[in-house]
Amino acid sequence: MKKFMKSEELARDDRFTRTAVPLDFLMAEEVTVEQVEETMMTLLGNEDVRKMMEEQGGGGGAPNVFRRVRPEEDDAPVFIKTQMHGIFMGEMQALEAAGRSAWDFTDDDQLPWQFQLDMARQCWDETRHVEIYSALLDHVDCRIGEFAENLFLFEFGCSDDPAERVVGVNRCLEGLALDVFNDTIRFGQAADDDAIWRSVDYVSADEVTHVRFGQVWSKALTEGDPERRKKVVSFQRKVDRAFSLGGLRGSYDGANTAAFLPLAVEFRKLAGFSDEDIAEVAGAGPKVTGRK
Amino acid sequence: MARSFTRRHGAPFVIIDGCIECGICERVCPYDAIFMSDELEFVVDGEKCPSCNRCLDPCPVGTIIPMDDQRAAQIRPSNRPFVFDGWQESVASDKLSAHQGGRK
C-alpha cells in the first residue's frame, strides 16, 4: 500500500466540495484584516455565509467569522452549520493524517512500536468522531458539501519526520480542534442544546489524548538530538502561526468573551501544555494591520 | 540520530521554466523546502519537500510541478542540483515510479 499520499489524493465522493483557496496569509509575518476576511469568505464558498459576513462587515463591525456568535442571534443557525461542517471536515483530515502516521513510518526501525499503537488508537477515535459529527450535521440541518473543504490542515501534517508529523497533526491540528470544541461546547450550553454540547464534550476527551501524543512524542523522538529538536521547534512555530488564522483569533479563553476562537487553556493544560507552551501559541500570530 | 527508514514514497516538486520569482511559494512552505538559489531563482529542495501541495494553489503561474508529472522534464537548470537521489529529467513518469521509495 502506498505511503506518503498527497493531499489531492485524499478520497472524497461527489457530495464534497473542495476549494483551492491559496490561504497565503497563513504563513505571513504581517497581514491585513481585509486580506484575511476576503480569503475566509472565499474559503467557506457559501453564498449565505458571504452575504452574512458582508452585512456584518458593511456596518463597520467585525465580520461574523471573527467574533463569537450567540445562540439568540439571527446568524446563529448559519454559524453553527459552518462550525459543524468545519469540524466534520477537520475530523476527516485528522483521520487521514493519523492513518498516515500509523502507516508511513512502519519501516523506521528506530521508532518505538508504541508510536504506531498510539497513532492506530487515534485512527479508531477519529472514525467515531467522523460518525458523531456526521450525525451532528443532521442535527443542525446541514448537509455534507454545503460548505467548501480546504486541505490546509492536512498539508501541515505531511512531514516525513515523525517528530514533525506529530507536531503538525497532534499538537497543532488537534490543538486547534480543542479550541474549536471549547467554543462549540459553550455555544451548545448557551443554546441549551444537550446533543451538541454533550457530544462535543465527549469527543474532546479523545482530542486531549491526541494532543498529548503530540506533546509526548515530539519531545521523546528528539531527546538527545538538539539539532533535530531545533528543527522540530522551528516547524512547530510556523504551524502555530498558520493556525492562528491570520492572528485574528482571541488569545486566551476568558480574556475576551466576544473574541473568535480563543485558546482553550484548560483543555490544553490537560493535554500537557505548560503556561509557557500556551503563551507561545497565543503569541504565534502575525502582526495584524487594518480594521479590526 | 541517524535515520534508516525509506523516507520518500511520493514525488516532491520542482520548479519549471516560466517561474516569475514572486516568492509566494517560499513564504507559504511550512517545510523550508523552497528557497532562492545562488542563481537568484527559487528552487525546491527534493530532500525536504514532502509534496504537501501547500505551494501549488498560491503559485500564480503554475510552475511548481510534481516530479512524477511529464512537465517536470522542463525543470529549470537551477533546480537540478536539488532533486532527490535517483531522479533524472529524462526519466519518464512511468520509470520514476520505480524509484519511489528507493531512497534510503
Side-chain angles (χ1 to χ4, degrees):
Chain A
M1 191 169 77
K2 185 176 178 179
K3 296 187 175 181
F4 292 93
M5 291 172 66
K6 292 180 198 171
S7 58
E8 66 188 18
E9 294 173 311
L10 301 180
R12 299 284 185 272
D13 63 35
D14 55 11
R15 289 172 298 172
F16 293 84
T17 314
R18 192 172 286 176
T19 179
V21 179
L23 293 177
D24 48 308
F25 72 84
L26 288 180
M27 302 293 287
E29 291 181 12
E30 188 170 333
V31 297
T32 65
V33 175
E34 289 77 8
Q35 180 189 4
V36 180
E37 284 174 5
E38 183 55 38
T39 309
M40 294 300 279
M41 280 199 280
T42 312
L43 171 66
L44 289 165
N46 178 287
E47 200 49 44
D48 289 341
V49 175
R50 172 174 279 275
K51 192 176 163 195
M52 179 182 70
M53 288 178 66
E54 283 172 350
E55 283 171 4
Q56 295 259 342
N64 192 337
V65 77
F66 296 126
R67 69 177 180 81
R68 184 172 282 168
V69 175
R70 297 175 196 289
E72 64 274 17
E73 296 178 32
D74 292 343
D75 295 336
V78 177
F79 166 78
I80 195 63
K81 282 186 184 187
T82 60
Q83 189 94 332
M84 284 301 176
H85 198 278
I87 297 172
F88 173 76
M89 295 313 315
E91 294 290 356
M92 291 273 290
Q93 290 182 35
L95 167 59
E96 290 157 330
R100 274 186 46 165
S101 298
W103 170 242
D104 282 352
F105 306 112
T106 49
D107 48 3
D108 183 350
D109 53 20
Q110 294 168 37
L111 203 57
W113 175 234
Q114 186 62 42
F115 178 90
Q116 262 130 22
L117 286 179
D118 284 349
M119 297 302 112
R121 181 252 159 101
Q122 188 180 344
C123 284
W124 177 240
D125 291 342
E126 303 293 6
T127 53
R128 277 186 285 107
H129 298 177
V130 169
E131 290 201 327
I132 289 168
Y133 280 104
S134 176
L136 283 172
L137 281 180
D138 290 341
H139 179 69
V140 299
D141 197 24
C142 183
R143 61 174 173 77
I144 292 171
E146 194 165 334
F147 304 95
E149 176 191 20
N150 189 283
L151 295 167
F152 78 95
L153 295 171
F154 186 88
E155 288 163 355
F156 283 95
C158 286
S159 177
D160 54 10
D161 179 337
E164 286 186 357
R165 178 72 67 85
V166 291
V167 161
V169 177
N170 294 74
R171 183 188 188 275
C172 297
L173 190 166
E174 297 286 86
L176 175 63
L178 281 180
D179 302 334
V180 177
F181 292 177
N182 193 46
D183 238 14
T184 311
I185 290 168
R186 187 165 298 165
F187 181 95
Q189 287 174 331
D192 202 19
D193 188 324
D194 279 5
I196 289 179
W197 83 260
R198 286 191 190 278
S199 304
V200 179
D201 195 34
Y202 291 147
V203 171
S204 300
D206 293 334
E207 301 293 30
V208 165
T209 307
H210 302 165
V211 177
R212 183 174 279 277
F213 288 161
Q215 289 289 90
V216 169
W217 282 115
S218 66
K219 286 174 184 155
L221 296 175
T222 55
E223 196 176 357
D225 189 343
E227 274 304 302
R228 190 176 174 200
R229 177 72 194 147
K230 195 172 155 190
K231 183 168 169 283
V232 169
V233 169
S234 166
F235 177 69
Q236 179 177 297
R237 290 194 175 128
K238 286 181 184 178
V239 189
D240 279 340
R241 176 187 292 174
F243 287 6
S244 78
L245 303 180
L248 297 186
R249 296 176 52 189
S251 56
Y252 295 99
D253 191 22
N256 181 351
T257 53
F260 162 71
L261 201 52
L263 293 180
V265 173
E266 191 182 340
F267 276 152
R268 284 181 180 262
K269 283 190 171 175
L270 284 171
F273 275 65
S274 64
D275 289 335
E276 291 75 24
D277 290 333
I278 290 169
E280 198 164 308
V281 178
K287 184 181 175 191
V288 182
T289 58
R291 175 172 59 82
K292 190 169 185 183
Chain B
M1 181 196 295
R3 306 194 61 73
S4 60
F5 65 103
T6 303
R7 288 168 62 90
R8 183 71 63 209
H9 298 263
F13 299 140
V14 296
I15 296 181
I16 63 170
D17 291 333
C19 168
I20 57 174
E21 319 300 344
C22 70
I24 197 169
C25 55
E26 182 192 33
R27 293 198 296 278
V28 302
C29 175
Y31 302 99
D32 289 336
I34 303 179
F35 61 92
M36 183 160 272
S37 68
D38 292 344
E39 286 83 13
L40 302 182
E41 290 183 338
F42 285 102
V43 296
V44 181
D45 185 344
E47 292 281 337
K48 293 181 176 175
C49 173
S51 55
C52 76
N53 283 18
R54 188 85 276 277
C55 57
L56 292 194
D57 293 330
C59 176
V61 288
T63 52
I64 305 175
I65 304 293
M67 287 172 62
D68 57 359
D69 187 303
Q70 298 274 1
R71 291 170 294 167
Q74 299 166 43
I75 181 174
R76 301 202 294 187
S78 57
N79 205 153
R80 280 189 195 131
F82 301 99
V83 296
F84 77 92
D85 296 347
W87 188 80
Q88 297 169 10
E89 60 193 287
S90 59
V91 176
S93 56
D94 56 342
K95 284 190 178 175
L96 177 68
S97 62
H99 290 278
Q100 290 177 356
R103 196 180 71 176
K104 294 276 182 179

